[in-house]
Amino acid sequence: MGIRVAVVGASGYAGGELLRLIAGHPEFDLVAATAHRQAGQPVAAVHPQLVGLDLVLAPTEPAALADADLVFLALPHGESAALAASLPENVRLVDLGADHRLTDAAAWTRYYGGTHAGPWTYGLPELPGQRAAIADSTRVAATGCYAVATILALAPLLAAGVAAPDDVVVVAASGTSGAGRAAKPHLLGSEVMGDLSPYKVGAHQHVPEIKQASGARSLSFTPVLAPMPRGILSTVTTVPTGPGVDPRAVLAEAYAEAAFVHVLPEGAWPHTAATLGSNSCHLQATVDVDSGRLIVVSAIDNLGKGAAGQAVQCANLMLGLPEATGLPVYGVAP
Amino acid sequence: MGIRVAVVGASGYAGGELLRLIAGHPEFDLVAATAHRQAGQPVAAVHPQLVGLDLVLAPTEPAALADADLVFLALPHGESAALAASLPENVRLVDLGADHRLTDAAAWTRYYGGTHAGPWTYGLPELPGQRAAIADSTRVAATGCYAVATILALAPLLAAGVAAPDDVVVVAASGTSGAGRAAKPHLLGSEVMGDLSPYKVGAHQHVPEIKQASGARSLSFTPVLAPMPRGILSTVTTVPTGPGVDPRAVLAEAYAEAAFVHVLPEGAWPHTAATLGSNSCHLQATVDVDSGRLIVVSAIDNLGKGAAGQAVQCANLMLGLPEATGLPVYGVAP
Amino acid sequence: MGIRVAVVGASGYAGGELLRLIAGHPEFDLVAATAHRQAGQPVAAVHPQLVGLDLVLAPTEPAALADADLVFLALPHGESAALAASLPENVRLVDLGADHRLTDAAAWTRYYGGTHAGPWTYGLPELPGQRAAIADSTRVAATGCYAVATILALAPLLAAGVAAPDDVVVVAASGTSGAGRAAKPHLLGSEVMGDLSPYKVGAHQHVPEIKQASGARSLSFTPVLAPMPRGILSTVTTVPTGPGVDPRAVLAEAYAEAAFVHVLPEGAWPHTAATLGSNSCHLQATVDVDSGRLIVVSAIDNLGKGAAGQAVQCANLMLGLPEATGLPVYGVAP
Amino acid sequence: MGIRVAVVGASGYAGGELLRLIAGHPEFDLVAATAHRQAGQPVAAVHPQLVGLDLVLAPTEPAALADADLVFLALPHGESAALAASLPENVRLVDLGADHRLTDAAAWTRYYGGTHAGPWTYGLPELPGQRAAIADSTRVAATGCYAVATILALAPLLAAGVAAPDDVVVVAASGTSGAGRAAKPHLLGSEVMGDLSPYKVGAHQHVPEIKQASGARSLSFTPVLAPMPRGILSTVTTVPTGPGVDPRAVLAEAYAEAAFVHVLPEGAWPHTAATLGSNSCHLQATVDVDSGRLIVVSAIDNLGKGAAGQAVQCANLMLGLPEATGLPVYGVAP
């Protein structure tokens, strides 16, 4: 008998990826999956890629979760706090939403609106000390998708003191699944194919999260919607604090023991397709010959390391399992 | 100590997918991967999605395969027969190429040219009697990608006598990985994105294979290149032999026990994205209200059930393992 | 002072393409563009590709059309008949919807539902006699997108008696703009990219239109949604009525004088990207070596020759202008 | 009798777009198109979108250009200078390659290698004074694709003194046609679809060109290959020189009279699909709320304003024609 697992908000894209990972996890038993409007439908009617997974979506209510040892919350921002409060403390919760990521309530209010629900343990195991913190927690807030890609690229450079925290410029592009499954006109295939489209320019809600977790003090962050279902490519530039900085070496040392963060061989640059379906993050860095800026590029699958994979990784730690249990390292390509 | 496995032709797309599946297979140990021009390179330099898999591509020579209990041959058509002949009879071989699929030497010569190498056991486990035949073989010729999708849709209808074998019309579209990794101008991203392009119209080499394995006697087959990396959608139409034929029921019965072939619920139609990265085939059928023809649609991942997945499924049978060992049923979507 | 032109239903994809073509037409003056929910918005807010076209969308009411000599109706099926009835007889109307295409009221009711509004002159100029009929009309029903591609491939073969009208099998794939601009979950970019998806299998509403205009008596028609914004590729197979039929020669003769229908050189097959943004249809044909069936493939831009371009072509004829005025022959590729 | 025009290097993507624009230009007569390996082939065999354009590709030799008043050179970098030297001075030449763009010979040698051919008039008409300079020239070097997008976003801010020239960070993504038509493995459709891939990180050859034409003194420029055939989105950030800078207003004033550069309404951001097939550049700007940096985003069609359209615009000026003759303002979308 394995660990009994439930997914709340299972009808969305992160929810579907959670179901796929849970179904393939050797220690997890999927006992419930909930949804709002699609409650009552078979999982496979909502996620055709899961044909053969015989489970009906339950309504999103505490009763549906009564049997679970572990609950993943994949709800829109602002909806998980209330449900979480209704669940027993000994049930492990991993929130894929933003409700519990920020320590700064004012930042929450400015970027998300309303009252902040308060912080949980921040679910990015690769940050120093965070594996242990997650293992000791029953409430973990998994990292945002853009935030994962950007923090993993940036944090070791700032921690090592080789880059300036007050001059960070990030342009990051995401596949469309990052925008969710709600049917909005600008997300139609006809609109997004063949198109690169910036959005929330100058004011994206991941800015305070990235600053909090990376140590950046000033951050210009521009997100771009890219014509592909999955993947985030984050291009992070900053300024070296002195001559002779080797950003690749700093990253390689920081992630020498990380199962899922790969600093590529010199000359090889990350690209998103290589991470599809995996929990991996690929990194590379250099110094710009003209401007002297440090440039770090990271690639992840926004539904993998950027959402469901990251959440399962945290859950493994919370449960005392090997961190990589049930998580693919290799991408599905081409 | 697991089964020692080698992949010949590991630099191509089917080869890369084989490496991914083997790396995740609980009973397989990858001992060698070979290539021609890319011999000497690390696997991850050729397949960036496999970063972390530490293996260097060896030259394609028998010596590289000396330790293997099981060898997958993923070579261009016409190149596997000679290598196969040089390997001991007790080494299990699965050929993903066409060299050993056809029983009709004349058909080989007409569609592929040159002299036929002779047939091996045909590697489509879902055909009646074929699981046992594969289990008894050390040489198996895995089914072609279009052929898998089309035969699974058609064979049960012909075997049940509900469809006419002399009037079969197939239009099948494939993602670009089916055309291989050789750099040809018409396969450039600039050319294929936004484009549907028919090719080999009126004379595709999978025609004799489909006829041989399905029982069709006359087959019109038109392949189309589609703007996506993976996936085959085969639309198969034929004529019912009498009134009241229920093609979906025939298929559902034929595949009631099949782990990887899913006849979808009524009203749901297969689409390729739902099979990405998996070894599954999705099927649906109906009777056309205007013409009365039977229409069956099947979807697979051309590198999964259409190539590497299918080959691993055959290998599992050859080795006495459960057929589904190490093979994903669920697709990676969106 | 040119011809005063209005577009009703200008917020959709066909409407946007009409605006683009009208703006570049040397004899047309765009005087009004109407919409429902988006009335009041500037055209460029709804169609960002038309930035610089300074016009505000008016509500869809007869008053907005009072100044127009020519009105294009690009409304959902079933909505144009009532508006058309309110406009003076001397105003030229081209309906891009289906309301007035069918001569068979029963077929309308079966495929579209409700009461048929009655037929107008059928707007496919390349059919024999149809140029003159269109030129004599003030009410023209432009051809459906799948229907254009299929009829142009099929009609000359049936008219010449070289193909059997009672055995026609068509599989046609369309870009997503053919499914319209309404935000539906299955049309999200995340869903359609990387995906081929059949729909309305066995019962598509273009079947009676294709039969009526081509002379086919039995038609199996399967549409597939393809991962690209525009383009239709129709693969049409039928049976020759005798030996030695040369379908390409029949098509080449039929379209020898057609400005927009190009029978490609032998060996070259149509593909959709080559027609993007144009009013052209590309054709090729052969005889299948195995089955002996005739195979014709046609490619169009579904918003060009399949909708807006076709409608402008009809309007040119209605107004006594050269048929090709303001219409691109060449596609935008890659 | 119009102006006799020839295209050298007509088999590539920029060459094909030039042919399309010339064919639709009311004052141009296409008299010759040349190629290397594809000389002798009909244009439509190389560019299927130009079916109906009856011209055979000539070898790239001066004799083929003897009748031309105007020659467009669309050759690989380093190949146009020699050919240009062989043509009479009164023949107008527009070079789409890089050979004559830079004024700094050392920068040429560092980024392109070899000896610099010397500068021609820089072909970006929207720069102050450049329209007149182009009109007075018979030799014009059209701007590079990334350079167009970036310079148009940046130059007015630096010229107005509102942005710091020594802190410019650019991340720009391009469709695959920008990488040319040579068949390279990493440009295969299977590789690029679903993928974002940075390249030449830290050392792109457009850096000196952008600095020269925009006035930037330090430039970090990271290019990314995006999964679409056409389009460039350039995200340009810099630092305001004082409080209260309104970058949008500066751009709007700079381009108030420009036919092809559109500063979008406030709140609307450029996206590439809206410029497809056009000669337009869309711009928007804001101040980042967190970092205070200026962010400007520009979108173009890399083969339009980024190559062939830009070149025709320059040619119009050189010939005393209205600048916009034969050039589309509106994009083809969706």
Side-chain angles (χ1 to χ4, degrees):
Chain A
M1 184 63 190
I3 296 150
R4 293 166 300 182
V5 182
V7 175
V8 173
S11 58
Y13 290 141
E17 187 72 349
L18 278 168
L19 295 179
R20 183 176 78 88
L21 293 175
I22 293 166
H25 194 290
E27 308 292 340
F28 286 177
D29 286 337
L30 180 65
V31 296
T34 82
H36 283 108
R37 277 170 306 177
Q38 296 180 291
Q41 291 200 48
V43 162
V46 174
H47 296 295
Q49 75 274 22
L50 302 179
V51 167
L53 195 163
D54 289 321
L55 190 70
V56 172
L57 292 170
T60 298
E61 296 165 0
L65 312 174
D67 289 337
D69 305 314
L70 167 67
V71 177
F72 293 101
L73 303 170
L75 293 168
H77 300 321
E79 297 188 11
S80 57
L83 183 66
S86 75
L87 295 174
E89 182 55 34
N90 67 319
V91 174
R92 264 78 172 179
L93 302 186
V94 182
D95 187 6
L96 286 80
D99 293 25
H100 303 284
R101 289 177 194 152
L102 298 181
T103 55
D104 177 356
W108 169 270
T109 302
R110 187 163 73 244
Y111 282 95
Y112 295 94
T115 305
H116 186 36
W120 288 357
T121 301
Y122 192 64
L124 190 52
E126 287 82 5
L127 290 179
Q130 214 59 18
R131 263 185 198 82
I134 294 166
D136 286 344
S137 301
T138 62
R139 299 288 183 274
V140 168
T143 312
C145 54
Y146 281 122
V148 171
T150 304
I151 295 164
L152 291 176
L154 185 59
L157 301 178
L158 297 180
V162 303
D166 53 359
D167 186 354
V168 180
V169 178
V170 178
V171 178
S174 173
T176 54
S177 62
R181 201 172 187 176
K184 298 174 184 170
H186 74 286
L187 297 175
L188 284 172
S190 300
E191 303 288 326
V192 299
M193 289 186 283
D195 197 32
L196 288 169
S197 176
Y199 62 103
K200 296 186 186 174
V201 182
H204 192 275
Q205 72 274 9
H206 282 182
V207 166
E209 181 180 352
I210 296 169
K211 291 170 73 176
Q212 167 184 306
S214 71
R217 286 201 300 266
S218 171
L219 177 66
S220 169
F221 180 82
T222 304
V224 175
L225 192 70
M228 55 194 202
R230 293 190 182 206
I232 285 179
L233 190 86
S234 186
T235 301
V236 179
T237 82
T238 177
V239 175
T241 51
V245 169
D246 180 350
R248 187 183 172 281
V250 174
L251 295 171
E253 185 181 339
Y255 298 119
E257 305 298 322
F260 295 113
V261 184
H262 303 277
V263 179
L264 300 186
E266 287 195 44
W269 285 89
H271 54 112
T272 60
T275 66
L276 186 92
S278 83
N279 195 46
S280 290
C281 174
H282 293 183
L283 291 173
Q284 184 58 284
T286 195
V287 179
D288 186 76
V289 298
D290 187 82
S291 68
R293 288 182 80 92
L294 302 183
I295 305 178
V296 193
V297 178
S298 69
I300 62 167
D301 180 333
N302 59 297
L303 295 180
K305 185 67 176 167
Q310 175 89 332
V312 169
Q313 186 182 354
C314 290
N316 286 339
L317 291 166
M318 295 164 82
L319 293 159
L321 298 171
E323 183 180 357
T325 309
L327 287 170
V329 171
Y330 302 128
V332 178
Chain B
M1 183 62 187
I3 296 151
R4 293 165 301 180
V5 182
V7 175
V8 173
S11 58
Y13 289 139
E17 186 73 349
L18 279 168
L19 295 178
R20 184 177 76 90
L21 293 175
I22 292 164
H25 193 290
E27 307 293 338
F28 287 178
D29 286 338
L30 181 64
V31 296
T34 81
H36 282 110
R37 277 170 307 177
Q38 296 180 290
Q41 290 201 47
V43 161
V46 174
H47 297 294
Q49 75 273 23
L50 301 178
V51 166
L53 195 163
D54 289 321
L55 189 71
V56 171
L57 292 171
T60 298
E61 295 166 1
L65 311 174
D67 289 338
D69 305 313
L70 166 67
V71 178
F72 293 100
L73 303 170
L75 293 168
H77 300 319
E79 296 188 12
S80 57
L83 183 66
S86 75
L87 296 173
E89 181 57 33
N90 67 320
V91 174
R92 264 78 172 178
L93 302 186
V94 181
D95 186 6
L96 285 80
D99 293 26
H100 304 284
R101 289 178 195 152
L102 298 181
T103 55
D104 177 357
W108 170 270
T109 302
R110 187 163 73 243
Y111 282 95
Y112 295 93
T115 305
H116 187 36
W120 288 357
T121 301
Y122 192 66
L124 189 51
E126 288 82 5
L127 289 180
Q130 214 60 17
R131 262 187 197 81
I134 294 166
D136 285 344
S137 301
T138 61
R139 299 288 183 274
V140 168
T143 311
C145 55
Y146 281 123
V148 171
T150 304
I151 295 164
L152 290 176
L154 185 59
L157 301 178
L158 298 180
V162 303
D166 52 359
D167 186 355
V168 180
V169 177
V170 178
V171 177
S174 174
T176 54
S177 62
R181 203 172 185 175
K184 298 174 184 171
H186 75 286
L187 296 176
L188 284 172
S190 300
E191 304 287 328
V192 300
M193 288 186 283
D195 197 30
L196 288 168
S197 176
Y199 62 102
K200 295 188 186 175
V201 183
H204 191 274
Q205 71 274 11
H206 282 182
V207 167
E209 181 181 351
I210 295 168
K211 291 170 72 176
Q212 167 185 308
S214 71
R217 287 200 299 266
S218 172
L219 178 66
S220 170
F221 180 83
T222 305
V224 174
L225 193 69
M228 55 194 202
R230 294 190 181 205
I232 285 179
L233 189 86
S234 187
T235 301
V236 179
T237 82
T238 176
V239 175
T241 50
V245 170
D246 180 350
R248 187 183 173 281
V250 174
L251 295 170
E253 186 181 338
Y255 298 119
E257 304 300 320
F260 295 113
V261 183
H262 303 276
V263 179
L264 300 186
E266 288 195 43
W269 285 88
H271 54 113
T272 60
T275 66
L276 186 93
S278 83
N279 196 45
S280 291
C281 174
H282 293 183
L283 291 173
Q284 184 56 284
T286 194
V287 179
D288 186 76
V289 297
D290 186 84
S291 70
R293 288 182 79 94
L294 302 183
I295 306 178
V296 194
V297 176
S298 69
I300 62 168
D301 180 334
N302 60 297
L303 294 180
K305 184 68 178 167
Q310 175 89 333
V312 169
Q313 187 182 354
C314 290
N316 285 339
L317 291 168
M318 295 164 81
L319 293 158
L321 298 170
E323 183 180 357
T325 309
L327 288 170
V329 171
Y330 303 128
V332 179
Chain C
M1 183 62 190
I3 296 151
R4 293 166 300 182
V5 182
V7 174
V8 173
S11 58
Y13 290 139
E17 187 72 351
L18 278 167
L19 295 179
R20 184 177 77 88
L21 292 175
I22 292 166
H25 194 290
E27 307 293 339
F28 286 178
D29 286 339
L30 180 64
V31 296
T34 82
H36 282 108
R37 278 171 305 178
Q38 296 179 290
Q41 290 200 49
V43 161
V46 175
H47 296 295
Q49 75 273 22
L50 302 179
V51 166
L53 195 162
D54 289 322
L55 188 72
V56 172
L57 292 171
T60 298
E61 295 166 1
L65 311 173
D67 289 338
D69 305 314
L70 166 67
V71 178
F72 293 101
L73 303 170
L75 293 168
H77 300 321
E79 296 187 13
S80 56
L83 184 67
S86 75
L87 295 173
E89 182 56 34
N90 67 319
V91 174
R92 263 77 172 180
L93 301 186
V94 181
D95 186 7
L96 285 79
D99 292 26
H100 303 284
R101 289 177 194 153
L102 297 181
T103 54
D104 177 356
W108 170 269
T109 301
R110 188 164 71 244
Y111 282 95
Y112 294 94
T115 306
H116 187 36
W120 289 357
T121 301
Y122 192 65
L124 190 51
E126 287 82 6
L127 288 180
Q130 215 58 19
R131 264 186 197 82
I134 293 166
D136 286 345
S137 300
T138 61
R139 298 288 182 275
V140 168
T143 312
C145 55
Y146 281 123
V148 171
T150 305
I151 294 165
L152 291 176
L154 186 60
L157 301 179
L158 297 180
V162 304
D166 52 0
D167 187 355
V168 179
V169 177
V170 177
V171 178
S174 174
T176 53
S177 62
R181 201 171 188 177
K184 299 175 183 170
H186 75 285
L187 297 176
L188 284 172
S190 299
E191 304 287 328
V192 300
M193 289 186 284
D195 197 30
L196 288 169
S197 176
Y199 62 102
K200 296 188 185 174
V201 183
H204 192 276
Q205 71 274 8
H206 282 182
V207 166
E209 181 180 351
I210 295 169
K211 292 170 72 177
Q212 168 185 306
S214 72
R217 286 200 301 264
S218 172
L219 177 67
S220 170
F221 180 84
T222 304
V224 175
L225 194 69
M228 55 194 202
R230 294 190 181 204
I232 286 179
L233 190 85
S234 186
T235 302
V236 180
T237 82
T238 176
V239 175
T241 50
V245 169
D246 180 350
R248 187 182 174 281
V250 173
L251 294 171
E253 185 181 339
Y255 298 118
E257 304 299 322
F260 295 113
V261 184
H262 303 275
V263 179
L264 300 186
E266 287 195 44
W269 285 89
H271 54 112
T272 60
T275 66
L276 186 92
S278 83
N279 194 46
S280 290
C281 174
H282 293 183
L283 291 173
Q284 184 57 283
T286 194
V287 178
D288 186 76
V289 297
D290 186 83
S291 69
R293 289 183 79 95
L294 303 183
I295 305 178
V296 193
V297 177
S298 68
I300 62 168
D301 180 333
N302 59 296
L303 294 180
K305 184 68 178 169
Q310 176 88 333
V312 170
Q313 186 182 356
C314 289
N316 286 339
L317 290 167
M318 294 164 82
L319 293 159
L321 298 170
E323 183 179 358
T325 309
L327 288 170
V329 171
Y330 303 128
V332 179
Chain D
M1 184 62 188
I3 296 150
R4 292 165 301 184
V5 182
V7 175
V8 173
S11 58
Y13 289 140
E17 187 72 349
L18 278 168
L19 295 179
R20 183 177 77 89
L21 292 175
I22 293 165
H25 194 290
E27 306 293 338
F28 286 177
D29 286 337
L30 180 65
V31 297
T34 82
H36 282 110
R37 279 171 305 178
Q38 295 181 290
Q41 289 201 48
V43 162
V46 174
H47 297 295
Q49 76 273 24
L50 302 179
V51 166
L53 196 163
D54 290 320
L55 189 71
V56 172
L57 292 170
T60 297
E61 296 166 1
L65 311 174
D67 290 338
D69 305 314
L70 167 67
V71 177
F72 293 100
L73 303 170
L75 293 168
H77 299 321
E79 296 189 12
S80 57
L83 184 66
S86 75
L87 295 173
E89 182 55 34
N90 67 320
V91 174
R92 264 77 173 179
L93 301 187
V94 181
D95 186 6
L96 284 80
D99 293 25
H100 303 284
R101 289 178 195 154
L102 297 181
T103 54
D104 176 356
W108 169 270
T109 302
R110 187 164 71 244
Y111 282 95
Y112 296 93
T115 305
H116 187 36
W120 289 356
T121 301
Y122 192 63
L124 190 52
E126 288 81 5
L127 290 180
Q130 214 59 19
R131 262 186 198 83
I134 294 167
D136 285 344
S137 301
T138 62
R139 299 288 183 271
V140 168
T143 312
C145 53
Y146 280 122
V148 171
T150 304
I151 295 165
L152 291 176
L154 185 60
L157 301 178
L158 298 180
V162 302
D166 53 0
D167 186 354
V168 181
V169 177
V170 178
V171 178
S174 173
T176 55
S177 62
R181 202 172 186 175
K184 299 174 183 170
H186 74 285
L187 297 176
L188 284 172
S190 300
E191 303 288 328
V192 299
M193 288 185 284
D195 197 30
L196 288 168
S197 177
Y199 62 102
K200 296 187 184 175
V201 183
H204 192 274
Q205 71 273 9
H206 282 182
V207 166
E209 180 180 351
I210 295 169
K211 292 170 71 177
Q212 167 184 305
S214 71
R217 286 200 301 265
S218 171
L219 177 66
S220 170
F221 181 83
T222 305
V224 174
L225 193 69
M228 54 193 203
R230 296 191 181 204
I232 285 178
L233 190 85
S234 186
T235 301
V236 179
T237 82
T238 177
V239 175
T241 50
V245 170
D246 180 351
R248 188 184 172 280
V250 173
L251 294 170
E253 185 180 340
Y255 299 120
E257 305 298 321
F260 295 113
V261 183
H262 303 276
V263 179
L264 300 187
E266 287 195 44
W269 286 88
H271 54 113
T272 60
T275 66
L276 185 93
S278 83
N279 194 46
S280 291
C281 175
H282 293 185
L283 291 173
Q284 184 58 283
T286 194
V287 178
D288 187 75
V289 297
D290 187 83
S291 69
R293 289 182 80 92
L294 303 183
I295 306 178
V296 194
V297 177
S298 69
I300 61 167
D301 180 335
N302 60 298
L303 295 180
K305 184 68 178 168
Q310 175 89 334
V312 169
Q313 186 182 355
C314 289
N316 286 339
L317 291 167
M318 295 165 81
L319 292 158
L321 298 170
E323 183 180 358
T325 310
L327 288 170
V329 172
Y330 302 128
V332 179

